[in-house]
Amino acid sequence: MTTSRGKILTFANPKGGVGKSTLSCLITAMLEWSNKYSSIQLVDADKQGSSVSLLQRICKNVPCSHYPISYEHDKLNLILLSQLIENTRMKQGNVLVIDTPARPGQEGIDLFTKSHAIIVPVSNTLAELPPTLDCVKTLDSIKARFKKIHTHIFVLPTNIHPHQTHLDDFFNYFYAASYPP
């Protein structure tokens, strides 16, 4: 499968520990193993840089970069990441996967909305659902402000307890907030 332009996939959630790094590495490796794309690259924007070391253990031939963005770092990494996004978009068959920090700040959120898709992993706990919903609403408002159909936003349930037989509460939480009575 070849694409007309490069694609950017971003894994984001304001909460830490929801599976952003693990999922971003697994998806990057699966894209590489599919042999359907000319170039796959992972960028870890979290200061911990755990995605780089994890991906290098499971798929050594994928280029990885570490551009931490947060209030603790200067804006150079935001500029470099923005340029990398634009360069990826310009090349057919390229895919850039971005693992975001827990709290990227408004400039980071604005940058991530340049992605084709934002995957938002979240556990079905009351500690994680409200900030995740706020994040999704923020992303939707940015899309509305710029009158964009992209970025596609996918909320992905993770860390599901083995005895949880259905996800009705999870889906109803997001549905009720999106479509109030």
Side-chain angles (χ1 to χ4, degrees), residues 127-179:
E128 293 180 13
L129 291 175
T132 301
L133 180 60
D134 290 344
C135 173
V136 170
K137 286 180 176 181
T138 299
L139 294 169
D140 275 339
S141 69
I142 292 170
K143 284 175 51 174
R145 186 175 65 205
F146 292 114
K147 297 179 172 71
K148 294 173 58 175
I149 58 167
H150 292 290
T151 300
H152 299 296
I153 303 167
F154 300 93
V155 178
L156 181 67
T158 61
N159 305 324
I160 305 302
H161 192 275
H163 298 294
Q164 188 169 359
T165 57
H166 56 81
L167 293 172
D168 290 345
D169 293 341
F170 178 85
F171 292 115
N172 289 337
Y173 183 85
F174 284 96
Y175 186 81
S178 300
Y179 304 100

Side-chain angles (χ1 to χ4, degrees), residues 10-11 27 36 38 53 63-64 70 74 98 103 144 147 151 157:
T10 299
F11 290 80
I27 295 296
K36 293 183 179 183
S38 53
S53 60
C64 303
S70 70
D74 61 25
I98 303 170
R103 291 170 293 285
K147 297 179 172 71
T151 300

Side-chain angles (χ1 to χ4, degrees), residues 27-36 39-40 59 61-62:
I27 295 296
T28 301
M30 290 172 56
L31 290 169
E32 175 65 22
W33 296 332
S34 76
N35 293 318
K36 293 183 179 183
S39 174
I40 310 289
C59 191
N61 54 338
V62 174

Side-chain angles (χ1 to χ4, degrees), residues 8-160:
I8 294 90
L9 304 175
T10 299
F11 290 80
N13 189 316
K15 293 287 292 174
V18 295
K20 294 185 300 279
S21 298
T22 303
L23 284 171
S24 64
C25 290
L26 291 174
I27 295 296
T28 301
M30 290 172 56
L31 290 169
E32 175 65 22
W33 296 332
S34 76
N35 293 318
K36 293 183 179 183
Y37 302 95
S38 53
S39 174
I40 310 289
Q41 182 174 355
L42 173 78
V43 171
D44 191 341
D46 195 353
K47 65 182 178 181
Q48 295 175 353
S50 58
S51 291
V52 172
S53 60
L54 176 58
L55 185 62
Q56 289 173 344
R57 288 193 305 258
I58 61 175
C59 191
K60 296 181 188 306
N61 54 338
V62 174
C64 303
S65 303
H66 185 214
Y67 298 131
I69 60 167
S70 70
Y71 63 91
E72 299 165 338
H73 295 87
D74 61 25
K75 297 187 188 299
L76 179 60
N77 286 343
L78 277 169
I79 294 166
L80 292 170
L81 188 52
S82 179
Q83 188 61 48
L84 186 56
I85 288 171
E86 294 307 317
N87 289 345
T88 300
R89 282 184 178 282
M90 302 305 288
K91 296 179 185 171
Q92 183 176 350
N94 283 7
V95 179
L96 175 64
V97 178
I98 303 170
D99 177 23
T100 67
R103 291 170 293 285
Q106 190 61 46
E107 290 175 319
I109 292 169
D110 289 345
L111 180 62
F112 301 142
T113 59
K114 293 181 179 182
S115 302
H116 291 91
I118 298 179
I119 296 94
V120 184
V122 61
S123 294
N124 191 13
T125 67
L126 290 176
E128 293 180 13
L129 291 175
T132 301
L133 180 60
D134 290 344
C135 173
V136 170
K137 286 180 176 181
T138 299
L139 294 169
D140 275 339
S141 69
I142 292 170
K143 284 175 51 174
R145 186 175 65 205
F146 292 114
K147 297 179 172 71
K148 294 173 58 175
I149 58 167
H150 292 290
T151 300
H152 299 296
I153 303 167
F154 300 93
V155 178
L156 181 67
T158 61
N159 305 324
I160 305 302

